[in-house]
Amino acid sequence: MRLLHTSDWHLGRAFHRVNMLGAQAEFIGHLVTTAREREVDAVVVSGDVYDRAVPPLAAVELFDDALHRLADLGVPTVMISGNHDSARRLGVGAGLIGRAGIHLRTEASACGTPVVLTDAHGDVAFYGLPYLEPALVKDEFGVQKAGHETVLAAAMDRVRADLATRAPGTRSVVLAHAFVTGGEVSDSERDITVGGVASVPAGVFDGVDYTALGHLHGSQTITERVRYSGSPLPYSFSEADHRKTMWLVDLGPDGAVSAERIDCPVPRALARVRGHLDDLLADPGLERHEEAWVEATLTDPVRPPDPMARLTERFPHTLSLAFDPERAPEDPDVSYARRLAGRSEQQIAEDFVAHVRGAGPDAHEQAVLRDAFDAVRADEAVREVAR
């Protein structure tokens, strides 16, 4: 059975100030064309269909168009909700839409109920594990500790239990939206840390033939049977070196997996340039970036006059301008943003305690801070569901 694995469309999202809806529509057309030309048997979409819980109308219309085109093509599609989606909104009408071959899986309670497709070699069971917010689903799975690994392990226990009741030789595919240990992050993914832990081991998915992951925006292979498709478009300059693709996966009669990367349309290249303004404007080696979307970081000791206007004369598609003056790390003028770069909310809070009190928090106080951040994030998730 041939699968086309994609995820993280983030319909409705902009790239800095650039509206990406046209590029997203081009990707949908590319997806449909690929499914037809490569004779795909099923499309799997592993979450973050939309960029936010209440998407703009234009994004909903594009999603509707995608569903119609896939249904008209006659290619079954299995789709789960991600941490950016409102599971309840995305799942509205799922039963009716399923009759057209578009199978939406947005409820934690349905993790062990697969979509079963059949080819010449027998059945393939597709299990949809939507993004499982630990604080919201721990009761559903009967677990005491609200953590990503705990709830995903419980969901996979249901998958394996159902698979054990099926005919020998039944192949299996799991769709999941999670941060799996070993995956490389970018700046455009929303933090899903709970209890100080964001990732889960790949071994959670043992026992199935292929796991189609979503959440991380870079296409990557965790194991031969566990892969991220990545987002089809860039959503931050940290993705400048990404090759945006989908996975074309062939699932053999015995469950063997072979996979090929299918390139997605690139609306415009990304470039990150760094240095003194005059050097950036004169360097002939940067000519290749003149038509790219550019993030420029100026290192001039003193901020130069009219930097954006001067940059856009050479790089007309400059979207981001940052300043990182060449100073010693102990210089008191080093920016607050620079001092905080790469630090988590937990670390920033602990540093604040140390600054105010003269000593950092002890283990108990660290746990209190961690619980507070988890409670706020869980409350935000509840509010999104209720909106």
Side-chain angles (χ1 to χ4, degrees), residues 84-97:
H84 280 250
D85 299 308
S86 165
R88 291 178 64 184
R89 280 186 169 81
L90 187 63
V92 168
L96 186 61
I97 295 171

Side-chain angles (χ1 to χ4, degrees), residues 176-187:
H177 196 87
F179 179 11
V180 174
T181 304
E184 295 184 5
V185 302
S186 60
D187 294 340

Side-chain angles (χ1 to χ4, degrees), residues 170-183:
T170 298
R171 290 158 291 164
S172 54
V173 175
V174 164
L175 289 72
H177 196 87
F179 179 11
V180 174
T181 304

Side-chain angles (χ1 to χ4, degrees), residues 263-329:
D263 289 300
C264 296
V266 178
R268 191 178 294 276
L270 305 187
R272 306 178 98 172
V273 298
R274 179 184 179 88
H276 289 202
L277 177 58
D278 288 341
D279 293 339
L280 297 180
L281 297 178
D283 186 352
L286 299 180
E287 183 177 351
R288 67 188 187 279
H289 298 320
E290 290 180 352
E291 293 305 315
W293 282 324
V294 169
E295 175 191 70
T297 300
L298 302 185
T299 60
D300 302 70
V302 177
R303 184 173 301 204
D306 301 320
M308 181 60 91
R310 294 168 65 188
L311 275 169
T312 53
E313 287 182 4
R314 183 178 190 189
F315 308 105
H317 304 288
T318 302
L319 299 181
S320 176
L321 177 59
F323 296 91
D324 188 13
E326 294 171 342
R327 296 191 179 110

Side-chain angles (χ1 to χ4, degrees), residues 65-86:
D65 178 63
L67 297 188
H68 276 86
R69 294 173 72 178
L70 287 167
D72 289 345
L73 199 61
V75 176
T77 298
V78 185
M79 187 177 296
I80 62 172
S81 50
N83 62 302
H84 280 250
D85 299 308
S86 165

